[in-house]
Amino acid sequence: GGFLQTWEDPGHKDENTGCCGDNDPIDVCEIGSKVCSRGEVIKVKVLGTLALIDEGETDWKIIAINVEDPEAGNYNDINDVRRMKPGYLEATVDWFRRYKVPDGKPENQFAFNGEFKDKDFAVNVIKSTHEHWKALIAKKTDGGEINCTNLTVSDSPFCCSQECAKATVDAAPPCRAANPIPPEGESHHPRPPS
């Protein structure tokens, strides 16, 4: 998942990683026992962070646990993950290192030699990227092709009315049926819409 109202600014070189942001919100890896549904919004407890360097861009991975998880009380910092789930953090680094290799991309690199930073460090990363998001939404930073139109940030020059939002939604083409999932083992390359 990701943290809303954060932005890894591609025009800002991170002082810790020496790389600019990846132009996305911060990614969150929730380690609880429940598998969340797509689009579900949950409250989490921040535990630490990993600094992935993806093709030269900083891509923070925040490690967190759902506050509603039965085990959440046992986790307060990244060292609790190391203690309660031996090998979990190492497996996470290994997965992030290799997950794009099947697409023909090189292995990802990491700042801090792939070491996780603690909760305080992670919270500072979140605060920093929230400030970048506030600059983006206030038009103090150029977001390029990012659409900053919103309904809730009243002092943003991108804020629009309910009527404007409804007109935008109404003007969008209707959703089409999804392509069927191919049988297991078959390769499926969807054709772009014409």
Side-chain angles (χ1 to χ4, degrees):
F3 272 128
L4 301 176
Q5 298 188 357
T6 62
W7 181 49
E8 296 181 83
D9 184 351
H12 172 78
K13 184 181 283 191
D14 187 280
E15 63 184 21
N16 296 294
T17 67
C19 297
C20 293
D22 73 345
N23 204 28
D24 284 331
I26 294 182
D27 296 326
V28 181
C29 300
E30 195 278 319
I31 66 166
S33 56
K34 177 189 170 201
V35 176
C36 295
S37 302
R38 182 179 300 202
E40 186 174 353
V41 177
I42 62 170
K43 186 185 284 188
V44 297
K45 185 191 293 188
V46 173
L47 304 173
T49 189
L50 177 68
L52 177 69
I53 308 299
D54 184 355
E55 297 186 44
E57 297 176 331
T58 302
D59 187 9
W60 291 104
K61 307 296 183 186
I62 302 293
I63 307 300
I65 189 165
N66 187 336
V67 298
E68 301 294 329
D69 192 278
E71 295 294 316
N74 295 326
Y75 293 91
N76 295 298
D77 206 330
I78 200 69
N79 288 328
D80 294 327
V81 181
R82 199 169 277 116
R83 180 175 50 84
M84 301 283 291
K85 295 180 178 259
Y88 183 88
L89 296 178
E90 294 78 6
T92 301
V93 170
D94 190 57
W95 189 85
F96 277 122
R97 183 183 321 279
R98 304 172 197 273
Y99 80 110
K100 290 190 176 179
V101 170
D103 291 335
K105 295 184 177 179
E107 288 188 359
N108 285 316
Q109 305 300 311
F110 302 90
F112 316 115
N113 296 316
E115 290 295 316
F116 287 80
K117 294 298 201 176
D118 66 13
K119 174 183 182 169
D120 291 341
F121 191 100
V123 168
N124 284 332
V125 168
I126 295 165
K127 287 178 179 177
S128 171
T129 56
H130 178 63
E131 291 302 316
H132 290 289
W133 174 84
K134 288 197 308 191
L136 172 69
I137 206 77
K139 212 172 186 176
K140 293 179 181 171
T141 301
D142 180 14
E145 295 183 14
I146 295 177
N147 185 339
C148 297
T149 303
N150 69 86
L151 291 168
T152 58
V153 186
S154 58
D155 58 344
S156 166
F158 300 105
C159 192
C160 73
S161 66
Q162 288 282 347
E163 295 76 25
C164 170
K166 183 177 182 332
T168 302
V169 171
D170 291 345
C175 292
R176 299 184 321 187
N179 291 331
I181 297 173
E184 192 170 332
E186 288 184 22
S187 177
H188 177 69
H189 300 284
R191 290 165 46 189
S194 50

